[in-house]
Amino acid sequence: MAPKSDSAEGIVLNFVNEQNRPLNSQVVADFLQKFNLKKTAVQKALDNLADSGKITFKEYGKQKIYLARQDQFQIPNTEELNQMKEENAKLQEMLEEQKKANSQLEGGIKSLQSNLTLDEILSNDAKLRKQVKEMEERLTKLREGVTLVSPEERKIVEKTFSDAISHWRKRKRMFKDVWDTITENSPKNPNEFKEELGLEYDEDFGVSLQTYATLMPHGQKRLRG
């Protein structure tokens, strides 16, 4: 069902005023298709509005160009214009700061993607923890004097344990660097973000890198971490 004439004129008038720029009937009709207005109805509404003085128009050959009446709009004075310019400058500055923050966040994400994903880090972390626990149990028995392996095998075990600790420390530091980069520019609370991603720290399992590092052979201990 097509809109009534007065309703069509109201829709067209509101559109012309909102646009506040030169328009022809085709442009108006294209924009107002969603109101089920045909071009003939739009043309009639534009002509009626122009005849009643609610909008203005100019003829260019056979084409009419319609425009909202400018006397209905409040024109800002010099002081208001300067204030608007200052506000625009502040908004531009805020926009640039937001772009920089977004760029840093994207850089952190790309860094993570170019190395290991969170799932891969967590998977490797779980494997390393299992290996460290197994090595720790074997080294404890060795230090208690129980002969379970030959000196050569013991060296291999201790080297494997030392390598596992080194990988643990490296992955822990890598994860911390990436995590700090992401959370620094994220509006989310880090603890809430951690729970949302299902992350678990060493402390959640009651383990400590430094505790395991003390089990490393003398001369290979590194208590950083």
Side-chain angles (χ1 to χ4, degrees):
M1 181 177 179
K4 295 181 180 180
S5 177
D6 54 349
S7 174
E9 289 183 15
I11 293 173
V12 172
L13 178 60
N14 287 336
F15 177 76
V16 173
N17 287 335
E18 287 173 358
Q19 294 294 307
N20 192 23
R21 61 186 177 90
L23 301 164
N24 60 31
S25 59
Q26 185 62 57
V27 172
V28 178
D30 290 342
F31 272 96
L32 299 182
Q33 284 182 353
K34 59 184 178 181
F35 294 104
N36 198 28
L37 286 176
K38 298 186 181 298
K39 184 178 179 181
T40 53
V42 169
Q43 184 66 66
K44 183 178 179 181
L46 287 169
D47 291 337
N48 289 341
L49 290 169
D51 292 340
S52 62
K54 294 181 179 179
I55 61 175
T56 60
F57 76 95
K58 289 185 178 180
E59 290 186 290
Y60 295 91
K62 295 181 179 180
Q63 187 176 40
K64 289 183 179 180
I65 301 298
Y66 302 89
L67 182 67
R69 289 183 54 134
Q70 298 303 297
D71 56 5
Q72 65 180 310
F73 301 113
Q74 182 179 359
I75 301 176
N77 55 37
T78 303
E79 183 179 351
E80 291 173 332
L81 284 174
N82 290 334
Q83 183 177 356
M84 291 169 65
K85 289 180 181 179
E86 291 178 2
E87 292 177 351
N88 183 62
K90 290 179 180 178
L91 289 173
Q92 290 293 334
E93 185 176 345
M94 292 173 62
L95 178 61
E96 289 301 319
E97 292 178 355
Q98 187 61 48
K99 286 182 178 179
K100 290 181 180 178
N102 290 342
S103 178
Q104 292 176 353
L105 182 58
E106 290 174 357
I109 293 174
K110 288 181 179 179
S111 175
L112 177 60
Q113 292 175 336
S114 64
N115 292 289
L116 292 174
T117 65
L118 284 175
D119 288 340
E120 290 172 335
I121 290 175
L122 293 174
S123 176
N124 290 342
D125 184 59
K127 293 178 182 178
L128 288 171
R129 286 178 183 172
K130 183 179 179 181
Q131 293 176 5
V132 168
K133 185 176 180 180
E134 292 173 352
M135 295 300 104
E136 186 265 344
E137 291 174 351
R138 298 186 67 183
L139 284 172
T140 299
K141 291 181 179 181
L142 286 170
R143 290 196 170 94
E144 288 175 352
V146 179
T147 304
L148 299 177
V149 294
S150 66
E152 291 77 14
E153 290 175 326
R154 177 170 178 166
K155 287 182 180 180
I156 294 174
V157 170
E158 289 182 340
K159 185 179 185 305
T160 302
F161 178 77
S162 177
D163 290 343
I165 291 294
S166 297
H167 282 300
W168 186 356
R169 181 183 292 111
K170 179 180 178 182
R171 298 301 183 195
K172 187 178 180 73
R173 183 169 59 249
M174 181 188 300
F175 175 80
K176 183 178 184 302
D177 291 343
V178 174
W179 181 252
D180 288 345
T181 299
I182 293 176
T183 56
E184 181 181 358
N185 298 296
S186 174
K188 292 187 177 181
N189 179 280
N191 289 330
E192 294 178 356
F193 195 21
K194 168 194 166 189
E195 293 181 3
E196 181 180 328
L197 294 175
L199 300 179
E200 294 175 319
Y201 294 163
D202 295 342
E203 294 76 10
D204 297 326
F205 287 86
V207 297
S208 169
L209 174 61
Q210 290 189 354
T211 299
Y212 284 104
T214 59
L215 299 174
M216 293 174 62
H218 181 69
Q220 296 185 27
K221 296 180 181 179
R222 294 174 59 194
L223 297 182
R224 295 185 305 152

